[in-house]
């Protein structure tokens, strides 16, 4: 049986994944108890213990939010965020390092996809035909001619 990650380990894994993403920065606009990870001033990940337990909060689509909350008891609507577009993840059965890393990259992609193309860093997890440049896109991929 897989080891259940504690909340602090979940925060460590999420923070490490966020730091690997292009143009990612960590700030504390809501106080020292909130790590706020942004890409070009747009939030994609927050960590906090303000609720009494270590949590991470990430951006998702409403459909993803519903599916994840149904599958994992420790995933719930986003703490202090829009409950349809954000989830909070705490320690619980089935929460793995791989899942946390995937959720961080997906959240980052969701936020980056709302930016003007000229302001986007390379988007992860996306390929041809989905509106993204993909991980290995050449710089001339933006040239329509």
């Amino acid at each position: 049986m897989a080891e259940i990650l504690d909340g602090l380990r979940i925060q460590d894994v999420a923070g490490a994944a966020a730091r690997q993403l292009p143009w990612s920065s960590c700030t504390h606009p809501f106080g020292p108890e909130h790590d706020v990870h942004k890409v070009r001033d747009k939030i994609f990940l927050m960590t906090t213990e303000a609720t009494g337990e270590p949590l991470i909060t990430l951006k998702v689509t409403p459909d993803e939010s519903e599916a994840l909350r149904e599958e994992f008891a420790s995933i719930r609507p986003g703490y202090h965020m829009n409950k349809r577009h954000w989830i909070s993840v705490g320690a619980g059965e089935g929460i793995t390092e791989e899942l946390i890393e995937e959720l961080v990259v997906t959240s980052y992609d969701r936020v980056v996809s709302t930016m003007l193309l000229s302001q986007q860093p390379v988007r992860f997890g996306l390929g041809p035909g989905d509106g993204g440049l993909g991980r290995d896109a050449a710089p001339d991929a933006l040239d329509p001619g």
Side-chain angles (χ1 to χ4, degrees):
M1 185 175 194
E3 175 187 350
I4 294 179
L5 300 178
D6 68 32
L8 292 176
R9 180 69 186 141
I10 290 169
Q11 289 181 335
D12 288 344
V13 170
R19 287 188 295 276
Q20 298 301 312
L21 298 169
W23 299 354
S24 174
S25 63
C26 182
T27 63
H28 299 90
F30 309 122
E33 67 277 1
H34 298 277
D35 286 350
V36 178
H37 296 266
K38 299 178 179 183
V39 55
R40 297 195 56 103
D41 292 326
K42 293 185 178 270
I43 298 171
F44 68 93
L45 166 68
M46 291 191 306
T47 67
T48 189
E49 292 180 47
T51 62
E53 71 171 309
L55 294 174
I56 63 171
T57 300
L58 308 119
K59 189 164 185 99
V60 293
T61 66
D63 289 342
E64 290 167 334
S65 175
E66 186 176 335
L68 288 164
R69 287 185 288 116
E70 286 178 8
E71 185 173 353
F72 301 100
S74 63
I75 296 181
R76 48 196 175 273
Y79 171 74
H80 250 302
M81 300 297 277
N82 179 309
K83 306 300 186 211
R84 286 180 34 97
H85 296 277
W86 293 84
I87 55 170
S88 288
V89 182
E93 190 173 330
I95 306 298
T96 64
E97 290 187 14
E98 293 79 16
L99 175 64
I100 298 303
E101 290 167 350
E102 179 182 339
L103 290 172
V104 169
V105 171
T106 299
S107 179
Y108 176 90
D109 272 346
R110 295 276 172 260
V111 171
V112 167
S113 72
T114 67
M115 296 176 181
L116 295 173
L117 191 59
S118 63
Q119 294 183 353
Q120 293 182 8
V122 172
R123 290 170 51 201
F124 286 83
L126 302 176
D130 61 9
L133 295 176
R135 182 184 311 253
D136 300 316
D140 62 351
L142 293 175
D143 184 9

